[in-house]
Amino acid sequence: MKRRTILGASFLALAMSTVAIAQSLPPLEQKERYKVGFPQMESNNPWRIAESKSFVDTAEACNWDLISTDAGGSAAKQVADVDSMIAQGIDVLFLPPREEKPLIPAVKKAAAAGIPTFLVDRSVDPNNAKAGVDYVSFLGSDFIDQGRRVAEWTIENFKGDKAVVVQLEGTTGSSPANDRKKGFDDAIAKDPRFTIVASQTGDFARDKGRQVMETVLQAHPDVDVVYAHNDEMAIGAIQALELAGRKPGEDVLIVSIDGTRDALQAIIDGKMGVTVESSPFFGPLACETMKRYAAGEEIEPWVQVKDRIFTQANAAENIKDAY
């Protein structure tokens, strides 16, 4: 009986050890050069173009053989691009998932293939894939905090007794759209002056933001505040408002997130109130984090990027470094 107990305990220990190994992250060998996959989701705006350039510029300095693709705004194409990179034998995957759920199979395929994966600038649904288990880490900003900071600035700087608010959301199902909405909505609800009368997706695109704003203005011509989840949609909203005879910065307050050159110029010109930074320059951070991982360091589940805030007080001094 005692021998059976010992054997049972041994088998249990072996089983637990096997599970631990199965859940452990793929190792990364230290070597001179790495084949790195970067499946970009799209290249239709300055933010994405700047991010892609950051990875290209980093490739030479970090000794990467970079395989970069463009999914053209299609989550399915992005999954297929990851499949192709796995087949090409990449050592590391830096993935900016277009949407939270559709890219989970790609993350899990890379892990099953023994490829360390780092999520960049956007994350996936945490209920279905977790840092430290399915991928190494998420490199990016606190999107909820970004939305909260925009709301707090708006509350502090809006001088009226009541405000009709329109929200232009980012890509439906993406982590920044979900979180920037939550951060803003939760904070703005604390001030009864503000009423969100419309909240529609503009897909993070300038022209789509303009089109949505034009449509919303037909139902809500008295809008006082426009909150856009990114600067591209904010610029599109400014165009729509001006065509409708409204004066952005005077009778409509425009607030946003990203910190692009066009947004900083709009702030300088008095057409926009604030933009919270969301930097696209992930190449150097990706290189540094990969090297730490290859050296055997335990990487934190979230390598958080710290974001600045741009207003009339500092837009002019920072525009020279904007993208």
Side-chain angles (χ1 to χ4, degrees), residues 72-240:
S74 166
K77 173 67 163 57
Q78 197 176 27
V79 171
D81 289 342
V82 173
D83 287 343
S84 175
M85 290 176 182
I86 292 171
Q88 293 177 67
I90 58 172
D91 299 304
V92 184
L93 176 66
F94 289 103
L95 172 65
R98 187 175 194 275
E99 298 164 38
E100 283 193 332
K101 292 184 178 179
L103 270 297
I104 287 171
V107 171
K108 298 203 170 187
K109 282 181 184 177
I115 298 167
T117 297
F118 298 84
L119 302 185
V120 180
D121 88 64
R122 293 187 185 184
S123 192
V124 293
D125 184 352
N127 295 316
N128 293 294
K130 297 186 181 300
V133 177
D134 301 293
Y135 58 93
V136 180
S137 179
F138 165 58
L139 282 57
S141 298
D142 185 336
F143 302 131
I144 291 178
D145 183 64
Q146 290 175 342
R148 177 188 61 77
R149 291 170 73 187
V150 172
E152 290 177 348
W153 187 93
T154 302
I155 289 170
E156 183 178 346
N157 288 273
F158 182 78
K159 304 305 180 185
D161 295 328
K162 62 178 183 177
V164 172
V165 182
V166 169
Q167 182 170 187
L168 299 178
E169 300 178 26
T171 302
T172 302
S174 68
S175 56
N178 293 341
D179 291 352
R180 287 172 183 172
K181 177 175 172 58
K182 176 175 174 52
F184 183 86
D185 288 359
D186 289 353
I188 209 75
K190 296 176 182 177
D191 190 324
R193 293 181 300 160
F194 297 89
T195 303
I196 300 175
V197 297
S199 191
Q200 298 181 26
T201 179
D203 203 24
F204 286 127
R206 182 179 298 200
D207 196 52
K208 186 71 178 292
R210 178 189 58 76
Q211 292 172 19
V212 172
M213 193 70 232
E214 287 176 349
T215 301
V216 170
L217 277 171
Q218 295 175 21
H220 304 285
D222 57 342
V223 59
D224 301 298
V225 177
V226 175
Y227 164 48
H229 286 189
N230 80 335
D231 291 341
E232 283 294 282
M233 292 188 296
I235 299 300
I238 288 173
Q239 294 170 346

Side-chain angles (χ1 to χ4, degrees), residues 20-41:
I21 291 170
Q23 290 183 337
S24 64
L25 293 166
L28 182 62
E29 176 189 354
Q30 285 188 296
K31 56 184 185 179
E32 286 297 316
R33 294 192 69 81
Y34 294 91
K35 185 181 286 188
V36 174
F38 177 64
Q40 181 60 280
M41 67 181 74

Side-chain angles (χ1 to χ4, degrees), residues 140-143 145-146 149 180 257-258 276-279 304-310:
S141 298
D142 185 336
F143 302 131
D145 183 64
Q146 290 175 342
R149 291 170 73 187
R180 287 172 183 172
I257 296 169
D258 266 357
V276 172
E277 182 181 37
S278 194
S279 174
Q304 188 172 339
V305 176
K306 300 298 182 183
D307 300 312
R308 297 171 292 176
I309 187 167
F310 300 117

